[in-house]
Amino acid sequence: QAQLVQSGGGSVQAGGSLTLTCKASGYSLMGWFRQPLGKEREGVATLAGDGSTTYADFVKGRFTISQDIRENTLYLKMNNLNLEDTAMYYCATGFTRMGVRRLDERNFRSWGQGTQVTVTS
């Protein structure tokens, strides 16, 4: 599967903000995942072609997923970051499989290269 190109990320103090970008737009399903060191990858947020969004409970109210079709870019705006948000973040595209919840990575076929987000105290 084609690899998506990500940018953004870096190091930020707790309470700060970061925005991740991914060269992708207009897909049936787009999403952001993250993998903390030594842990499994987990779904963060998804954006479907109809504009509906899904967020993991641990980011609700803090993170926002969006796209700019003219710029062919998918965004993840992260506010009020905490230490537990430290992880490698990945964007992905795919489509919703029947019976599979949106945040499940089984829906996704193409992935970004990953970008590190580190939150410091």
Side-chain angles (χ1 to χ4, degrees):
Q1 288 80 22
Q3 188 171 60
L4 307 173
V5 178
Q6 298 179 221
S7 60
S11 183
V12 64
Q13 284 192 319
S17 299
L18 281 175
T19 298
L20 306 182
T21 64
C22 174
K23 278 302 181 183
S25 68
Y27 287 88
S28 171
L29 186 66
M30 298 167 286
W32 289 95
F33 290 76
R34 71 185 189 186
Q35 186 168 20
L37 189 63
K39 297 183 179 181
E40 293 186 354
R41 189 159 58 188
E42 55 189 4
V44 174
T46 67
L47 173 62
D50 63 0
S52 59
T53 56
T54 305
Y55 293 95
D57 288 343
F58 51 79
V59 302
K60 280 181 181 177
R62 300 188 299 124
F63 289 14
T64 303
I65 186 172
S66 65
Q67 67 174 330
D68 185 331
I69 293 177
R70 289 183 306 171
E71 297 294 328
N72 188 37
T73 301
L74 179 71
Y75 299 97
L76 183 68
K77 173 66 172 175
M78 305 182 292
N79 294 323
N80 194 22
L81 286 159
N82 58 53
L83 299 179
E84 290 72 33
D85 295 318
T86 295
M88 185 72 77
Y89 283 72
Y90 299 89
C91 64
T93 62
F95 61 93
T96 305
R97 298 176 185 271
M98 190 165 298
V100 179
R101 63 188 186 94
R102 290 262 176 96
L103 286 169
D104 192 316
E105 65 178 77
R106 289 177 291 173
N107 290 317
F108 296 88
R109 299 292 297 276
S110 296
W111 293 84
Q113 80 277 17
T115 185
Q116 179 67 33
V117 172
T118 302
V119 184
T120 61
S121 59

